[in-house]
Amino acid sequence: NNFKHIHLNVCGRKFDNIHGLADELYTHYNYSADGFFEMAMESKSKLENPNNAAKFCSDIRVEDDDNYNYEKACLAMKENLMHALDYLKTARESADNRSDIQSKIDEELSYTNKQLNYFMRRRSMNVDSGMNESYDPYNELF
């Protein structure tokens, strides 16, 4: 829902780019969450209402700004992607006896890693100097 909030409150330069990107991320994670909820329903445990998710993820800031310019939107999306990656890794470790769940999480890890470590990294590059100070050309995959 943080991506949806950014989508609705983006303004200024590159509005269309960020508006579309935030919508893409929201749509992807909304669809993906539905699949995870359905997997969770396979157990006999009671499933918490998804509206209560924030209380289980207290380390994630609920986005509430009125305006997101390009830089602010990219930073907020990057932070949310980093949290998603951490939670996916934790979930992956917890699913040690369900290869179907592990496979689904592996797909999400791949998508989120690409969004964060390729697309967001490239967006944050300063084209005037070739890269921004936080850009790390080291690729941990190789």
Side-chain angles (χ1 to χ4, degrees), residues 5-126:
H5 183 79
I6 295 166
H7 165 82
L8 294 171
N9 290 283
V10 69
C11 60
R13 181 175 68 87
K14 298 189 180 182
F15 166 84
D16 292 328
N17 298 77
I18 296 300
H19 184 75
L21 172 61
D23 185 57
E24 174 190 331
L25 292 169
Y26 168 77
T27 300
H28 173 83
Y29 286 112
N30 186 48
Y31 177 79
S32 180
D34 186 65
F36 286 124
F37 290 133
E38 290 171 357
M39 284 183 168
M41 293 297 292
E42 293 173 12
S43 74
K44 305 259 190 231
S45 301
K46 181 181 184 293
L47 185 63
E48 185 79 29
N49 186 319
N51 287 325
N52 297 326
K55 75 180 184 182
F56 298 104
C57 306
S58 60
D59 58 326
I60 298 177
R61 177 184 178 273
V62 174
E63 298 294 337
D64 60 359
D65 292 348
D66 294 334
N67 298 304
Y68 290 85
N69 63 19
Y70 180 80
E71 289 76 17
K72 190 181 205 180
C74 283
L75 180 61
M77 288 188 287
K78 178 181 175 183
E79 289 174 0
N80 280 278
L81 287 166
M82 289 170 57
H83 284 296
L85 195 59
D86 289 341
Y87 277 98
L88 285 165
K89 288 177 182 177
T90 299
R92 176 65 166 82
E93 291 170 6
S94 300
D96 57 357
N97 62 343
R98 291 281 306 265
S99 61
D100 58 330
I101 295 173
Q102 289 174 332
S103 294
K104 174 75 173 155
I105 295 171
D106 286 342
E107 290 173 15
E108 285 305 307
L109 281 167
S110 177
Y111 176 85
T112 304
N113 268 308
K114 185 175 184 179
Q115 289 297 322
L116 180 62
N117 295 318
Y118 176 64
F119 292 119
M120 291 309 292
R121 181 179 286 179
R122 300 293 291 186
R123 284 183 193 102
S124 68
M125 287 179 67
N126 181 339

Side-chain angles (χ1 to χ4, degrees), residues 131-142:
M131 62 187 73
N132 114 359
E133 296 141 12
S134 65
Y135 179 75
D136 178 8
Y138 174 75
N139 184 339
E140 59 192 65
L141 296 176
F142 301 103

